[in-house]
Amino acid sequence: MLSRSLKAIPRHRYQKSLIFINKRYSSTFATAIETAEKLVQPKTSASSPLDPFAMVSAEMATLGKHISQLIGSGHPVLNRVASYYFEAEGKNVRPLIVLLLSKALSKIPINERNRIIIDQYDVNTQKEFKGTPKAFSFAGADPLKSISPLNILHGINPNIILNPLSRPMIDQDEKSIQLDIKNGILPKQRRLAEITEMIHTASLLHDDVIDFSDSRRGRESGNIAFSNKMAILAGDFLLGRASVSLGRLRNSEVVELMSTAIANLVEGEFMQLKNTVINPDLTTINNDGQLKKIPLPTGKVPVKVHEYSINGTSNIISHNDNVEAAFQYYLHKTYLKTASLMSKSSRSTAILAGCNEELIENCYQFGRNLGLCFQIVDDMLDYTTTAELLGKPAGADLKLGLATAPVLFAWKDKPELAPLIARKFSQNGDVEIAKIAVDETNGVQKTLELAIKYRDDALNNLRVLPESSARSALELLTNSIITRNK
């Protein structure tokens, strides 16, 4: 079933899946669509030739192992908390996108990938390729090796019996290196996939504390299993170790992109906490259901008013303008919280491959559109599926006071929902009224149509890539986002 194709393949099936790696399959848009339709049928095997996970099953199999080596804490409890979410079976969509995109980009001839210097270490060849200055990419630089001496990085001799808390990162095994060469995935791209998942997982640890979540990936969330403090600290530690690995890619453009993605996650969370379109009051915040006055600025540091803030009263702004502003705010927040990491890691993948500007831009737009589609579907599932399927609480958005696409569509047809949205559905009966309004206005169906629009845009972005089984797998993955139920 399609829902199974969005989970990592069980360990006992990895070897079986590898038989597809060296085969070539014709790749057309029609083939990908046909395969996607077949995959939603109950009798379909998860190891379809175009199944995204089957195509890079070996790389996905070692993802958790390599990340555990990157975490490298010498403190057993910190190690335990930081690796907690990697133990459970997650979607792993973000590293999957990077790996499949890397494989698809490898079909572009090397002489057409000359935007940066692609060094001998990257492509395992003696040829030298000219590109932009070496400041962007250090030729011959191993992404596993430190730039500064280890005794400087760790503040202690790493060879003495007292191990530093942040241990040196362990080299990839020879089998993984040879597999990368065979599949056309550059070592730096594989590392980028691991970094992307580390950043995402750190955000989950933080989000579950903020949202008071009690489950994640089918079991207790990190904040419940350990504590709020440990979950926050483990998330911070993951971001720190991801930043170290990011620096070792030795590509300043990629470092800038991925560092911005980390900042975007925080910006998006703030936009969600304080919706300045629905409630333009910038002097108070909602603190666990109670309004709290925030300190006024002293003037020593300029504080810019958010561009989405609406000055004035509701009687001089039309209802349609209010709804449109709320949708723009929602989509911007969705980009920052979800699509930014997908889009910037996709762009970084193309940069590391040395692709031209057109390909880099389309890879970025692909990640952006796919990310928006993914989150919009996630918001829709909050209204349509169960906690057992989601692996996290269902129906949580309204309870958290979040006005996502389904209720925004309902608001467009029912202006009377404005006070409920403004007070974040905090009064008794608000959540139930909002759910009924969503049903009466077909808010879920309209949300699905919005997700399909971004799905179609993402598929169009993929058309610039050369035809390959990897591109077909990306097309299939893109289609599967719409039909997933978890």
Side-chain angles (χ1 to χ4, degrees):
M1 293 175 64
L2 185 57
S3 62
R4 294 175 61 191
S5 73
L6 281 177
K7 299 189 293 184
I9 297 174
R11 187 175 299 276
H12 70 278
R13 293 170 57 193
Y14 286 140
Q15 295 302 320
K16 182 178 179 182
S17 299
L18 287 176
I19 63 174
F20 296 111
I21 291 179
N22 291 322
K23 292 184 179 180
R24 292 179 179 272
Y25 296 91
S26 60
S27 174
T28 64
F29 184 73
T31 301
I33 298 295
E34 181 181 354
T35 306
E37 291 171 349
K38 289 179 179 178
L39 278 181
V40 299
Q41 302 301 323
K43 294 182 180 179
T44 300
S45 166
S47 57
S48 162
L50 297 180
D51 176 36
F53 279 95
M55 189 162 294
V56 289
S57 60
E59 289 86 351
M60 296 300 290
T62 57
L63 181 73
K65 173 187 173 183
H66 289 164
I67 288 176
S68 69
Q69 294 171 350
L70 296 183
I71 293 173
S73 168
H75 194 290
V77 179
L78 177 55
N79 246 350
R80 180 78 186 91
V81 186
S83 61
Y84 181 65
Y85 280 165
F86 297 112
E87 297 172 348
E89 197 175 60
K91 300 182 186 74
N92 294 326
V93 171
R94 291 154 188 84
L96 178 65
I97 292 170
V98 173
L99 292 171
L100 285 174
L101 196 55
S102 300
K103 192 173 175 65
L105 293 171
S106 71
K107 301 302 180 182
I108 302 171
I110 285 292
N111 60 359
E112 295 179 16
R113 293 190 280 140
N114 56 7
R115 182 176 179 269
I116 65 171
I117 294 175
I118 306 177
D119 54 59
Q120 294 178 9
Y121 178 83
D122 279 342
V123 296
N124 193 41
T125 178
Q126 297 302 311
K127 293 182 180 180
E128 182 180 355
F129 304 101
K130 303 296 184 182
T132 55
K134 290 186 179 182
F136 280 96
S137 181
F138 295 5
D142 186 340
L144 298 168
K145 303 300 183 184
S146 63
I147 302 172
S148 302
L150 291 179
N151 65 311
I152 298 296
L153 291 177
H154 303 302
I156 191 172
N157 184 346
N159 297 317
I160 66 173
I161 191 169
L162 179 62
N163 286 326
L165 290 185
S166 294
R167 291 174 175 169
M169 294 177 179
I170 303 172
D171 287 357
Q172 291 181 153
D173 56 88
E174 183 62 27
K175 183 179 178 181
S176 296
I177 294 173
Q178 292 304 316
L179 185 64
D180 287 341
I181 294 171
K182 182 170 66 174
N183 285 346
I185 297 173
L186 306 181
K188 291 179 181 179
Q189 291 172 326
R190 174 195 273 271
R191 182 48 41 90
L192 176 65
E194 295 158 1
I195 292 168
T196 301
E197 185 64 8
M198 290 171 72
I199 294 172
H200 170 61
T201 303
S203 74
L204 296 183
L205 283 163
H206 289 162
D207 284 353
D208 286 345
V209 173
I210 294 168
D211 297 338
F212 308 104
S213 298
D214 55 15
S215 64
R216 170 73 65 178
R217 294 178 176 174
R219 61 177 181 170
E220 286 184 334
S221 54
N223 49 304
I224 298 298
F226 300 97
S227 68
N228 282 345
K229 289 182 179 179
M230 284 190 175
I232 290 292
L233 290 172
D236 292 344
F237 181 71
L238 278 176
L239 290 177
R241 292 300 273 173
S243 298
V244 173
S245 296
L246 188 58
R248 289 179 184 173
L249 294 182
R250 295 167 167 85
N251 185 298
S252 55
E253 190 174 4
V254 170
V255 171
E256 180 183 57
L257 281 167
M258 298 302 291
S259 298
T260 303
I262 296 174
N264 289 160
L265 289 169
V266 179
E267 293 175 304
E269 194 63 47
F270 259 83
M271 287 185 73
Q272 183 164 289
L273 287 172
K274 180 65 177 176
N275 190 326
T276 54
V277 169
I278 305 300
N279 185 1
D281 179 10
L282 300 179
T283 64
T284 62
I285 57 173
N286 189 311
N287 185 31
D288 295 341
Q290 295 184 342
L291 286 181
K292 174 182 172 61
K293 285 283 185 181
I294 60 176
L296 295 175
T298 63
K300 291 183 178 180
V301 179
V303 179
K304 185 179 179 181
V305 175
H306 197 291
E307 63 183 71
Y308 283 99
S309 296
I310 296 178
N311 295 318
T313 58
S314 58
N315 63 350
I316 61 172
I317 299 175
S318 72
H319 169 65
N320 287 337
D321 286 344
N322 262 331
V323 174
E324 178 61 26
F327 261 110
Q328 292 302 317
Y329 189 95
Y330 163 74
L331 289 173
H332 189 184
K333 180 262 296 180
T334 299
Y335 169 78
L336 294 171
K337 278 180 61 69
T338 303
S340 174
L341 185 56
M342 289 186 181
S343 62
K344 290 180 171 66
S345 60
S346 295
R347 186 178 181 90
S348 297
T349 302
I351 290 170
L352 292 174
C355 296
N356 62 38
E357 295 294 343
E358 180 188 5
L359 277 166
I360 290 173
E361 179 61 21
N362 272 282
C363 286
Y364 168 77
Q365 292 296 338
F366 164 72
R368 176 185 181 276
N369 289 319
L370 184 68
L372 289 171
C373 174
F374 186 91
Q375 186 58 51
I376 290 169
V377 169
D378 219 45
D379 294 340
M380 179 185 73
L381 291 177
D382 195 63
Y383 285 79
T384 62
T385 193
T386 64
E388 289 75 21
L389 280 173
L390 281 178
K392 57 184 178 181
D397 287 346
L398 286 175
K399 294 174 184 176
L400 289 170
L402 304 181
T404 56
V407 80
L408 290 179
F409 278 116
W411 180 31
K412 186 173 183 179
D413 293 340
K414 291 180 175 290
E416 62 270 22
L417 290 176
L420 284 71
I421 296 173
R423 62 177 178 250
K424 294 191 171 185
F425 315 103
S426 58
Q427 293 186 8
N428 289 336
D430 283 357
V431 170
E432 290 71 21
I433 293 172
K435 286 181 178 178
I436 293 171
V438 169
D439 289 338
E440 291 177 347
T441 58
N442 294 319
V444 168
Q445 178 60 33
K446 293 173 183 176
T447 300
L448 177 61
E449 291 169 2
L450 179 63
I452 289 173
K453 171 193 175 296
Y454 285 107
R455 186 276 312 269
D456 292 343
D457 290 343
L459 289 172
N460 286 332
N461 295 133
L462 289 175
R463 300 302 296 165
V464 302
L465 299 176
E467 289 193 356
S468 67
S469 56
R471 193 189 82 175
S472 289
L474 283 167
E475 291 167 347
L476 176 59
L477 175 65
T478 302
N479 278 292
S480 71
I481 299 299
I482 294 293
T483 54
R484 70 189 178 98
N485 60 5
K486 61 185 298 182

